[in-house]
């Protein structure tokens, strides 16, 4: 792999930012538990986890995609279209056990379409996925209009909203934890992960090193769509409501969490634990500030400021160190 | 790598398929039920609780119409010495309200007043709230019946149809030709109101009124304007145009106010004070009607406090008092009808801003 002595430098820098996000997240959790009334209750903990689940799920493949230097803005629309199709098929009398795999396949196909445009036709992913963001959302409304389908089987909906043994941990955390472990290991401990970083750091260098960048990116989009489809299924069951507008605008929450977690929008840098910390941090702030009756507008301001800081701070540190080094050498 | 990922995707799908036992379809699924209806007995003579914490959760914040609704709720809670709170999403999507309901459960509010964006998506959370002893009042837009205690309905079909006929009769002076300018030919609400309107015209007191035409402006401003114009070309002796849609009434008023028919042909129907104000001021429109959104919130707050005080439980036939609006009786399925629409005219239009 191409890590000629530069690696320790960026690794330590990144590690420091990721560590910072994780530390801040833990601090916020501790402070909120102490200072915000009812924040620490087990039921609130359940709500918090249920609320962050779809964002955390979609953030996993999004991390890969952004590390390769691309982006997928169509994920929330994929979620919505999956949800709409799920409702439509349910209305047509298909068994739910058939519908769920079909919806996952649909998610993968929608992702593959993005991958095709980006890797085969070589179109910029920002433009492509803004296009499919509109296209998939539009199709969702074609499928279901503005109606909602709600009569999903109790066994399924109650499992998705239920907790393990009636405690604080939601059942749906199990697939999330499993997937997070898988994605984390693949990114940080396998050749695939190293290829992802290499492709993001320099696509040409990666190609010279024998990495087949285009197929890699294609499959990342397929996985991104598949996971968005899964999120759509879980979303629909959690709210017992299949709707075309489900998850509207969520792609930005996902990208925000990923960037806050220390992933570079230019690719090549990032860690999965950092991203998960970013997801938890944003969700915790939202939950705690709402309990304190802070308005939506103020919430948005806090989120915005945090994002700006997360982009600025590493840069400031880099420049500061460079300046120190210059001073040392002159 | 390609193959490995494909294999992963396929096996994931397989696992899910295999996990299926039998197959649950729409037909054999017991649809999502709700919480148990309160079995507690109502005590109409119970003391009205003070300090009731009631949170309003409209479809979205910063919407002029819902701002007026919850403003009425605040007024009522001030009268009742309750504690008013307003929360809500910035977008009217279905699931956005759920996390707010969850927050309100954590904050241990006594009552939630909700205008549901999706009757079912909010259901599990509302029932969790009710399970922890909270009361739920739906207003404006109902939640599923088994997830709330009562629903404040702004108006009944009969109430609106009768009010339209009454205004048309008065404005036409009891006799002559009248026409209706509706929205689209298949608009459910409008058609139901027009049906009641026609039944009213069959009554003896309206015997001399003749409905000559029902025109459709498709709730499009320009088309409604042209239809109003067309009505007067076809029926020059028309006494009144009745438009049971806010788009139609505004377009008809705009046409009449700038034509020779101003002052001769009455325009009435359902409209908002803000869009009709100038036509009332310039004499084109004498009166029109709509429910008063502030009263919806006001009634919701009184119903919420009555629930929290144990004076009602939401069962049909129970009665409670709602301040300046008087006494109300709960109808079928926990529905409480606000009453006849408010009539707006030159004397009161400036008291309203929506």
């Amino acid at each position: 792999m191409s890590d000629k002595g530069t690696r320790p430098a960026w690794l330590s820098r990144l590690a420091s930012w990721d560590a910072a996000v994780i530390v801040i997240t833990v601090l916020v959790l501790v402070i909120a538990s102490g200072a915000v009334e009812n924040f620490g209750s087990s039921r609130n903990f359940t709500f918090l986890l249920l609320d962050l689940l779809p964002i955390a799920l979609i953030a996993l493949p999004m991390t890969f995609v952004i590390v390769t230097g691309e982006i997928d803005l169509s994920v929330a629309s994929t979620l919505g279209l999956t949800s709409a199709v799920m409702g439509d098929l349910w209305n047509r009398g298909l068994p739910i056990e058939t519908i769920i795999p079909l919806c996952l396949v649909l998610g993968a196909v929608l992702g593959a379409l993005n991958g095709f445009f980006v890797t085969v036709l070589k179109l910029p992913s920002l433009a492509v996925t803004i296009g499919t963001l509109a296209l998939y959302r539009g199709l969702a409304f074609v499928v279901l209009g503005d109606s909602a389908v709600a009569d999903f089987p109790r066994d399924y909906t109650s499992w998705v909203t239920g907790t393990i043994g009636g405690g604080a941990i939601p059942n749906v955390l199990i697939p999330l934890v499993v997937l997070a472990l898988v994605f984390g290991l693949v990114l940080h401990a396998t050749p695939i992960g190293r290829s992802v970083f290499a492709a993001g750091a320099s696509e040409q260098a990666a190609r010279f090193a024998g990495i087949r960048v285009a197929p890699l990116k294609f499959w990342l989009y397929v996985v991104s769509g598949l996971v968005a489809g899964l999120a759509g299924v879980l979303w629909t069951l959690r709210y017992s409501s299949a709707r075309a507008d489900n998850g509207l605008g969520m792609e930005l929450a996902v990208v925000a969490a990923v960037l806050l977690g220390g992933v570079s929008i230019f690719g090549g840098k990032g860690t999965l634990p950092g991203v998960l910390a970013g997801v938890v941090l944003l969700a915790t702030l939202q939950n705690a500030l709402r309990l304190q009756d802070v308005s939506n507008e103020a919430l948005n301001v806090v989120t915005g400021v945090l994002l700006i800081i997360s982009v600025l701070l590493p840069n400031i540190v880099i420049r500061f160190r460079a300046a120190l080094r210059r001073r040392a050498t002159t | 790598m390609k193959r490995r990922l494909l294999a992963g995707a396929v096996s994931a799908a397989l696992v899910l398929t295999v996990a299926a036992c039998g197959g649950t379809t729409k037909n054999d699924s017991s649809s999502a039920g709700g919480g148990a209806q309160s079995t507690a007995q109502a005590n109409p003579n119970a003391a009205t609780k003070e300090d009731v914490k009631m949170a309003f959760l409209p479809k979205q914040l910063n919407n002029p119409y819902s701002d007026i609704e919850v403003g009425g709720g605040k007024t009522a809670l001030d009268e009742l010495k309750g504690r008013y709170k307003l929360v809500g999403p910035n977008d009217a999507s279905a699931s956005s309200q759920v996390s707010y309901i969850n927050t309100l459960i954590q904050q241990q509010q006594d009552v939630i007043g909700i205008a549901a964006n999706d009757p079912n998506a909010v259901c599990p959370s509302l029932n969790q709230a009710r399970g922890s002893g909270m009361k739920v009042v739906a207003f404006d837009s109902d939640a599923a019946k088994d997830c709330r205690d009562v629903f404040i309905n702004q108006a009944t079909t009969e109430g609106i149809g009768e009010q339209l006929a009454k205004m048309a009769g008065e404005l036409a002076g009891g006799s002559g030709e009248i026409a209706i300018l509706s929205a689209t030919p298949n608009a459910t609400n409008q058609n139901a109101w027009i049906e009641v309107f026609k039944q009213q015209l069959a009554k003896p007191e309206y015997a001399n009124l003749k409905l000559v035409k029902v025109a459709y402006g498709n709730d499009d401003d320009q088309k409604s304007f042209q239809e109003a114009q067309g009505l007067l070309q076809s029926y020059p002796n028309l006494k009144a145009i009745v438009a049971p849609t806010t788009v139609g009434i505004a377009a008809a008023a705009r046409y009449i106010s700038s034509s020779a028919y101003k002052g001769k042909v009455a325009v009435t129907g359902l409209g908002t004070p803000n869009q009709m104000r100038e036509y009332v001021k310039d004499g084109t429109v004498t009166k029109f009607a709509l429910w008063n959104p502030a009263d919806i919130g006001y009634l919701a707050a009184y119903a919420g406090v009555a629930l929290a005080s144990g004076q009602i439980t939401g069962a049909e036939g129970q009665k409670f008092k709602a301040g300046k609006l008087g006494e109300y009786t709960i109808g079928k399925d926990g529905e409480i009808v606000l009453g006849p629409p408010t009539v707006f005219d030159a004397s009161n239009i400036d008291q309203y801003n929506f």
Side-chain angles (χ1 to χ4, degrees):
Chain A
M1 298 307 313
S2 57
D3 45 3
K4 295 197 279 286
T6 54
R7 189 158 176 192
W10 70 252
L11 194 67
S12 63
R13 234 184 6 241
L14 259 186
S16 67
W17 175 247
D18 291 352
V21 178
I22 292 170
V23 167
I24 292 169
T25 306
V26 171
L27 272 178
V28 168
L29 278 168
V30 169
I31 293 169
S33 303
V36 179
E37 205 184 342
N38 301 320
F39 177 83
S41 75
S42 74
R43 185 188 263 171
N44 191 55
F45 189 68
T46 310
F47 290 150
L48 177 67
L49 290 171
L50 277 172
D51 280 348
L52 65 78
L53 172 90
I55 295 179
L57 270 181
I58 295 176
L60 300 172
M62 183 70 84
T63 304
F64 280 61
V65 171
I66 294 183
V67 167
T68 62
E70 304 291 349
I71 196 157
D72 185 354
L73 291 177
S74 70
V75 283
S77 297
T78 302
L79 184 155
L81 179 50
T82 309
S83 179
V85 167
M86 190 170 165
D88 186 54
L89 294 177
W90 178 249
N91 271 348
R92 289 170 196 270
L94 265 74
I96 191 90
E97 294 80 2
T98 311
I99 294 174
I100 291 175
L102 278 177
C103 284
L104 297 180
V105 171
L106 171 70
V109 169
L110 297 174
L113 190 64
N114 283 331
F116 172 78
F117 283 128
V118 174
T119 60
V120 178
L121 301 185
K122 304 285 182 216
L123 300 169
S125 60
L126 184 70
V128 167
T129 58
I130 286 177
T132 50
L133 177 155
L135 172 69
Y136 297 166
R137 184 65 70 183
L139 286 173
F141 279 99
V142 169
V143 170
L144 214 56
D146 50 12
S147 64
V149 180
D151 52 348
F152 292 102
R154 280 296 294 270
D155 307 354
Y156 284 78
T157 54
S158 59
W159 187 85
V160 172
T161 53
T163 55
I164 300 169
I169 310 288
N171 294 324
V172 283
L173 201 66
I174 302 168
L176 175 62
V177 168
V178 170
L179 283 173
L181 284 171
V182 170
F183 277 81
L185 287 171
V186 169
L187 185 63
H188 295 300
T190 65
I192 297 178
R194 282 197 292 279
S195 308
V196 168
F197 280 111
S202 161
E203 187 162 337
Q204 270 190 315
R207 268 205 219 96
F208 287 137
I211 296 168
R212 296 168 62 230
V213 176
L216 174 72
K217 285 183 177 176
F218 175 83
W219 286 104
L220 288 183
Y221 275 106
V222 172
V223 173
S224 178
L226 176 72
V227 173
L230 173 66
V233 169
L234 292 174
W235 180 295
T236 307
L237 292 174
R238 180 196 167 183
Y239 294 111
S240 327
S241 182
R243 289 176 64 109
D245 66 357
N246 276 348
L248 198 67
M250 209 179 75
E251 63 283 325
L252 292 181
V254 174
V255 174
V258 171
L259 297 184
L260 182 64
V263 175
S264 164
I265 193 75
F266 304 113
K269 296 174 190 170
T271 65
L272 211 67
V275 168
L276 289 172
V279 173
V280 174
L281 178 57
L282 287 179
T284 305
L285 280 172
Q286 192 171 52
N287 179 301
L289 293 176
R290 263 192 203 165
L291 278 172
Q292 297 287 66
D293 288 335
V294 173
S295 71
N296 289 338
E297 291 75 15
L299 262 174
N300 291 341
V301 170
V302 171
T303 311
V305 169
L306 260 179
L307 267 177
I308 300 288
I309 290 175
S310 75
V311 177
L312 269 182
L313 214 61
N315 273 321
I316 291 172
V317 171
I318 294 166
R319 284 184 194 171
F320 185 68
R321 281 188 187 161
L324 277 184
R325 235 174 303 166
R326 268 202 301 279
R327 204 166 293 174
T329 52
T330 48
Chain B
M1 181 179 53
K2 193 190 286 194
R3 217 171 289 141
R4 203 179 313 167
L5 275 164
L6 185 61
V10 170
S11 60
L14 274 177
V15 167
L16 276 159
T17 325
V18 171
C21 38
T24 320
T25 64
K26 192 179 176 80
N27 302 331
D28 58 18
S29 133
S30 59
S31 74
Q37 279 295 328
S38 156
T39 49
Q41 284 300 308
N43 172 12
N45 303 321
T48 302
K49 272 193 187 162
E50 291 189 358
D51 255 353
V52 172
K53 288 185 287 188
M54 179 161 181
F56 280 85
L57 178 52
K59 289 185 162 198
Q60 64 185 113
L61 291 184
N62 309 322
N63 164 309
Y65 182 82
S66 71
D67 285 351
I68 294 169
E69 282 182 320
V70 298
K74 186 174 188 309
T75 307
L77 285 167
D78 287 344
E79 289 172 12
L80 290 160
K81 299 191 175 60
R83 283 193 267 167
Y84 162 88
K85 181 196 284 263
L86 170 64
V87 294
N90 288 337
D91 62 296
S93 78
S95 38
S96 52
Q97 286 181 312
V98 170
S99 59
Y100 284 93
I101 297 169
N102 293 342
T103 301
L104 295 173
I105 296 174
Q106 293 308 314
Q107 292 175 333
Q108 291 154 6
Q109 296 286 313
D110 299 313
V111 187
I112 297 178
I114 182 170
N117 282 328
D118 177 314
N120 298 299
V122 291
C123 210
S125 289
L126 287 179
N127 277 329
Q128 270 183 316
R130 294 167 76 207
S132 63
M134 295 160 76
K135 304 295 178 192
V136 176
V137 179
F139 65 95
D140 200 25
S141 165
D142 203 0
K145 285 184 180 57
D146 48 17
C147 320
R148 45 83 173 155
D149 297 295
V150 293
F151 169 53
I152 309 294
N153 195 348
Q154 51 266 47
T156 59
T157 304
E158 282 70 28
I160 290 178
E162 285 166 17
Q163 185 65 52
L164 291 172
K166 190 162 166 261
M167 292 190 299
E170 284 172 12
L171 293 169
S175 68
E177 295 181 342
I178 54 171
I180 289 178
L181 174 59
S182 185
T184 56
N186 54 8
T188 319
N189 281 347
Q190 268 79 12
N191 286 350
W193 296 330
I194 292 169
E195 200 46 49
V196 175
F197 184 88
K198 287 176 176 169
Q199 289 163 6
Q200 288 290 312
L201 291 194
K203 288 185 171 175
E205 64 254 47
Y206 298 121
N208 297 327
L209 280 184
K210 185 160 171 251
L211 178 60
V212 290
K213 186 171 171 146
V214 179
Y216 298 100
N218 296 347
D219 260 356
D220 173 273
D221 181 71
Q222 198 185 346
K223 178 132 175 42
S224 304
F225 188 92
Q226 288 163 350
E227 287 293 329
Q229 215 173 345
L231 280 173
L232 285 156
Q233 282 163 354
S234 318
Y235 307 98
N237 298 326
L238 209 57
K239 288 273 195 70
I241 296 177
V242 183
T245 149
T246 55
V247 178
I249 191 175
R254 205 172 71 239
Y255 167 65
I256 300 288
S257 72
S258 61
S259 74
Y261 300 106
K262 184 175 168 180
K264 298 190 183 70
V265 179
V267 175
T268 189
L270 303 177
T272 67
N274 284 356
Q275 63 177 164
M276 301 306 289
R277 200 177 314 275
E278 60 177 293
Y279 305 116
V280 170
K281 302 271 189 216
D282 77 5
T284 307
V285 175
T286 313
K287 60 171 71 173
F288 63 98
L290 198 64
W291 44 90
N292 177 359
D295 289 347
I296 298 173
Y298 186 91
L299 181 54
Y302 267 90
V305 173
L307 282 164
S309 309
Q311 295 160 348
I312 54 173
T313 58
E316 190 172 356
Q318 295 172 339
K319 290 179 163 50
F320 69 102
K321 290 193 171 55
K324 64 171 189 201
L325 296 177
E327 190 177 67
Y328 280 85
T329 306
I330 300 176
K332 195 169 162 295
D333 292 326
E335 200 171 286
I336 302 167
V337 179
L338 177 62
T342 305
V343 177
F344 303 99
D345 57 26
S347 69
N348 70 357
I349 194 162
D350 284 328
Q351 297 163 23
Y352 301 96
N353 179 20
F354 66 93

